[in-house]
Each structure stands twice: as C-alpha cells, then as structure tokens.
Amino acid sequence: MPSDLAAQLRAVSLRVTRPRLAVLAALRDHPHVDTDTVIDLVRADLPMVSHQAVYNVLHALTAAGLVRRIQPAGATARYEAQAGDNHHHIVCRSCGAIADVACATGHAPCLTASDDHGFVVDEAEVVYWGTCPACSEGIA
Amino acid sequence: MPSDLAAQLRAVSLRVTRPRLAVLAALRDHPHVDTDTVIDLVRADLPMVSHQAVYNVLHALTAAGLVRRIQPAGATARYEAQAGDNHHHIVCRSCGAIADVACATGHAPCLTASDDHGFVVDEAEVVYWGTCPACSEGIA
DNA sequence: GCCCTTTTCTGGAACAGTTCAAGTTTATGC
DNA sequence: GCATAAACTTGAACTGTTCCAGAAAAGGGC
C-alpha cells in the first residue's frame, strides 16, 4: 500500500519521494532496525540511494513524529515506525536484540517523576535490560 | 580521602593506580559527566593521562560495577558513580543536562514487563525526557 | 627494601557512525 | 509544461571510540 505511506507523509507536510517511501516501508516491515540495515533495505528497492538521503529522511521523519529513534547505551541508533502506542523496549545485553513490551500497567503510575527538579517532563521512557531467549540458551 | 577510593578499587580486585583514583574522584564530585569532561577533570590533577587510560578505566570500573554508564539517545556516553540506589534520570532535550530522580513509588510497580518475550530481565531503566528550567526560560 | 611478573598506561593510528557542503535532480503548485 | 523550493547525490570531514605496540608502574615474594 504505497499510497498509505504517501498519505502519512502528506499529513505532516513532507514531500512524497521515492527514498522516503522506501524508508517508511522498511521500518514498517522491520521494526527496531539500525541505520545500516535501513540503508540496505532501502537499496533493495532503490539501489542508488545514498546513505545521506537515509539519514536525512530518518531525521525528517523523526522530527515529524512518524518514526521514533531509540538508542540503547553503546549501540548504534535504531528506528521504529511510530505506532503511537506508548510501548517500551526490552534489550538483550548480549546480542542487542530488541523486543516490544506493552506498558505493564496501562496508565503508567511510576512514570511521573517524584521530584522533577523544575524540569518540564514530556515523555518517560522505559528500557528493560536482560538476556534474550537465544542468548540465555547459549549461556546455560 | 583517597584511601576511601583506593578501598573501593581493592574491593573489586583492581589495582590502585593514580588515573583510577582520579577518575573515581572526578565522578564522585561531578555526577553525569561525559567522557570528555572526565578526561579534563582527570588532567587537572594528572596532566599526562591519555584519553585511552580514561576509557580503559571507565570500562574497568563499569565492568566492576563501581560506576554506571548512561547514554541517552543521541548523546555521548556519560558516567556516574554508582551509589547502589536504583534512581533514574531526567534528561533535557535541549541542553542535555541530566538530573537524578528517585524512583517515584519506591517499589517500581510497572518495572516488571507484562510480557517478557522469554527474555530474562535483570534491570529496568527509566529515562524522563523534558526541558530543564534554564532551557524552559529561554523558550518562554 | 629490591626484583620479577603482570597489569596498566602512553602515544599514535585506525575505525564506525554521523554530519557538513556544493551542486544537481525532483516534487509541487500554477 | 514551467518556475521554485525542497530533496537527493557525491564526497569529504568530524567526533567519539577502539585497537595496537612498547614503556611504565603496581603488587607479591625474597
């Protein structure tokens, strides 16, 4: 459904270009991919896109709120299509795999800081650290 | 109290060296500093330390659990002396400032993933995103 | 206190991911 | 279709981090 993705772009006043559609499609089909993988996925459709274009597009889409940038400590930047639901992530310390986790309680009771130090908080992010099933087996 | 810091090192079977003491002292006095700042702080005492030594030390201390590495999306790595308390961080989107936040509820009700996808979770990290007082004023 | 072994540090170079800049191409509105 | 402004291509620069080889220093035994 390319027109669907095009509509998303128009909704945020961004021009509809081949690279942007390809990036959106890649993120839709592959959640939590790093920039390098995005470039590879996009080039499967459009061999001529420069990595620059991908960086530009990811920035533009992030700024527009269509995709979300996630970057666990030490790893390279990853992106996911912003579904609008406030889910969180569980990251494998060993292999870096990322899985989605729905917010446990629904209304996030502890996601309001007890003492905000005068900060204006607009988002609370939760990252669970652990070991994925595959890596757990390897260890055991 | 250098001997205090030395004791921390000995407790985790690390040799007591000048650079390590300087890094520990720097982190104790300046929470949430980035690597560059650590290097500057250490060089205030020991002008000859290489950046390499600081990286080595930070890695060693992180592995030993004496310091904690925090790296909000897009920013460079920062370190803090690990106090053992499970506090979280509030990060300014504008200037990158970081403040400590005590865990709001004490017993962290939503810090257990609802569906762990088979992962073995050993830590839940919370990052609040917002705008610090100084930057808020600048905008207003 | 001195020597030996092992760890750690110094200095320099390499590397990955990301960003910057100039010029060309492409999408959009008329 | 045409003009204009945004987006893309190419290529190089930059930052933060890591790798490597040799020199220095810490810790333990004598």
Side-chain angles (χ1 to χ4, degrees):
Chain A
M1 287 279 164
S3 57
D4 180 29
L5 300 175
Q8 286 188 39
L9 288 172
R10 289 211 183 81
V12 292
S13 308
L14 285 175
R15 291 192 174 178
V16 179
T17 67
R18 224 76 60 73
R20 286 178 176 170
L21 292 174
V23 168
L24 276 177
L27 289 178
R28 183 193 49 186
D29 297 342
H30 304 263
H32 314 134
V33 289
D34 58 42
T35 312
D36 236 38
T37 307
V38 174
I39 294 174
D40 286 346
L41 289 169
V42 170
R43 284 189 177 151
D45 279 341
L46 300 158
M48 300 306 289
V49 285
S50 57
H51 61 153
Q52 217 71 344
V54 175
Y55 277 100
N56 283 345
V57 170
L58 287 173
H59 267 151
L61 297 182
T62 303
L66 289 184
V67 306
R68 188 172 162 196
R69 178 180 185 147
I70 50 183
Q71 182 171 29
T76 62
R78 286 160 179 270
Y79 294 86
E80 67 174 355
Q82 174 67 283
D85 58 345
N86 185 34
H87 68 269
H88 301 305
H89 296 110
I90 182 166
V91 184
C92 176
R93 286 187 200 277
S94 176
C95 68
I98 296 183
D100 284 335
V101 180
C103 193
T105 58
H107 57 292
C110 78
L111 295 185
T112 304
S114 53
D115 177 0
D116 62 9
H117 291 268
F119 279 61
V120 179
V121 178
D122 57 55
E123 185 186 352
E125 183 185 4
V126 179
V127 177
Y128 300 96
W129 291 94
T131 314
C132 74
C135 292
S136 294
E137 284 180 18
I139 296 169
Chain B
M1 286 283 164
S3 57
D4 179 30
L5 300 175
Q8 286 187 40
L9 288 172
R10 290 211 183 81
V12 292
S13 309
L14 286 175
R15 291 193 175 179
V16 179
T17 67
R18 223 75 61 74
R20 283 178 179 170
L21 293 175
V23 168
L24 275 178
L27 289 179
R28 183 193 50 186
D29 298 340
H30 304 263
H32 315 134
V33 291
D34 59 42
T35 312
D36 236 38
T37 307
V38 174
I39 294 174
D40 286 346
L41 290 169
V42 170
R43 284 190 176 149
D45 280 339
L46 301 158
M48 300 305 291
V49 285
S50 57
H51 61 156
Q52 202 53 27
V54 175
Y55 277 102
N56 283 345
V57 169
L58 288 172
H59 267 151
L61 296 181
T62 303
L66 289 185
V67 305
R68 187 170 161 197
R69 178 181 184 148
I70 50 183
Q71 183 170 28
T76 63
R78 285 159 181 272
Y79 294 86
E80 66 175 354
Q82 174 67 282
D85 58 345
N86 186 34
H87 68 269
H88 301 304
H89 297 110
I90 183 166
V91 184
C92 177
R93 286 187 200 276
S94 177
C95 68
I98 296 183
D100 284 336
V101 180
C103 193
T105 57
H107 56 291
C110 78
L111 294 186
T112 304
S114 54
D115 176 0
D116 62 10
H117 291 268
F119 279 62
V120 179
V121 178
D122 58 56
E123 185 185 352
E125 183 184 5
V126 180
V127 177
Y128 300 96
W129 290 95
T131 313
C132 74
C135 292
S136 294
E137 282 179 20
I139 295 169

